[in-house]
Amino acid sequence: MTSLTGNLNARTDLINKAVRRLNRCGLQVRSTRVGNLRPVIEIERPENLCQGFTITTRHGHDVAMLNVASLEGCLVTWRA
């Protein structure tokens, strides 16, 4: 097994563990990505505000807000 394959398997394991935990909490997963540094999981906006950070981006006149939190070695994101 190459180090690339091992790294991919490790990231996939992190995603699976985090997705199971999110599902147990009643959160809906929209998508998953292996990512460059950390796996990324996008979820539907939670009913209750979760602890995390809000990132505000601006593209011209458009302002977008994204919430992020760390879980099981993954980055979990949802729209504000």
Side-chain angles (χ1 to χ4, degrees), residues 5 16 28 47 62-63 65 80:
T5 304
N16 289 334
Q28 183 178 353
E47 296 277 330
D62 296 329
V63 176
M65 294 177 68

Side-chain angles (χ1 to χ4, degrees), residues 1-72:
M1 178 182 337
T2 66
S3 64
L4 181 60
T5 304
N7 192 8
L8 183 60
N9 288 338
R11 288 182 187 187
T12 302
D13 290 343
L14 290 173
I15 289 172
N16 289 334
K17 187 175 180 181
V19 166
R20 284 192 300 270
R21 189 167 167 191
L22 290 166
N23 286 334
R24 281 193 307 267
C25 292
L27 298 169
Q28 183 178 353
V29 175
R30 296 184 73 197
S31 67
T32 61
R33 296 183 299 281
V34 174
N36 290 329
L37 299 175
R38 295 171 64 177
V40 178
I41 301 169
E42 182 181 354
I43 63 172
E44 289 291 330
R45 187 175 191 273
E47 296 277 330
N48 305 341
L49 289 179
C50 300
Q51 185 176 8
F53 298 95
T54 301
I55 298 172
T56 304
T57 60
R58 184 174 179 171
H59 300 283
H61 294 290
D62 296 329
V63 176
M65 294 177 68
L66 180 71
N67 291 314
V68 297
S70 181
L71 176 70
E72 302 288 351

